[in-house]
Amino acid sequence: MAYYEKINLVKGDDLPALEIILRDSNAAASGATLDLGDPTTWAFLNLTNVNAVKLKIRRQGIETLVDTITFTRVQPYIDGKVIMDWGLTTLDDGIGDYEGEIEITYTDGKVLTVPDLLKFNLRAQF
């Protein structure tokens, strides 16, 4: 399991919105040669046949989820772009390190979980 670059947040905040571009490591981006070690060469994930993209969040090292938040897919759905607004109390939990898992549910009921995790650091306000 690998982590993406850490995202720093402040306890009690409701912003910033999290914007992510999902990519398909099995297909090359237009005009690129597929390189499994370079995500910029991967095609955008087509979200046309997707029911939901969710982020499951937990404290690092703890199995209990803090929250599950649904992303909004951005039209035209073929560029892999999703945006998530934090829940009103999601960032009210204790300070420290958190991790997030992205889960994609397709219209046929099949589920794809992104293997790499997002990493968050939640610090106290002044």
Side-chain angles (χ1 to χ4, degrees), residues 70-90:
T70 301
F71 282 89
T72 301
R73 293 177 299 141
V74 178
Q75 289 186 1
Y77 305 141
I78 58 172
D79 63 0
K81 187 175 182 178
V82 292
I83 298 174
M84 183 206 77
D85 290 315
W86 293 100
L88 293 177
T89 60
T90 304

Side-chain angles (χ1 to χ4, degrees), residues 17-32:
L18 186 60
E19 181 178 304
I20 296 176
I21 304 293
L22 298 168
R23 295 180 177 263
D24 182 352
S25 63
N26 295 307
S30 178

Side-chain angles (χ1 to χ4, degrees), residues 1-124:
M1 159 183 57
Y3 287 104
Y4 292 102
E5 186 174 332
K6 186 188 314 182
I7 299 168
N8 293 307
L9 302 166
V10 178
K11 181 177 178 174
D13 284 0
D14 303 318
L15 294 171
L18 186 60
E19 181 178 304
I20 296 176
I21 304 293
L22 298 168
R23 295 180 177 263
D24 182 352
S25 63
N26 295 307
S30 178
T33 301
L34 183 62
D35 176 353
L36 293 178
D38 181 3
T40 64
T41 68
W42 304 352
F44 295 126
L45 190 63
N46 186 331
L47 302 174
T48 304
N49 295 318
V50 168
N51 266 348
V53 178
K54 295 182 180 181
L55 177 67
K56 296 178 180 180
I57 305 165
R58 67 181 182 191
R59 272 187 170 279
Q60 193 169 4
I62 306 291
E63 291 187 24
T64 306
L65 293 179
V66 171
D67 206 349
T68 299
I69 303 173
T70 301
F71 282 89
T72 301
R73 293 177 299 141
V74 178
Q75 289 186 1
Y77 305 141
I78 58 172
D79 63 0
K81 187 175 182 178
V82 292
I83 298 174
M84 183 206 77
D85 290 315
W86 293 100
L88 293 177
T89 60
T90 304
L91 300 178
D92 291 350
D93 206 48
I95 60 173
D97 290 324
Y98 290 78
E99 53 192 10
E101 174 180 88
I102 296 175
E103 179 182 273
I104 303 165
T105 304
Y106 289 85
T107 53
D108 63 3
K110 293 184 179 181
V111 175
L112 170 68
T113 302
V114 176
D116 294 333
L117 300 176
L118 296 171
K119 188 170 189 173
F120 306 98
N121 179 266
L122 188 63
R123 74 160 177 85

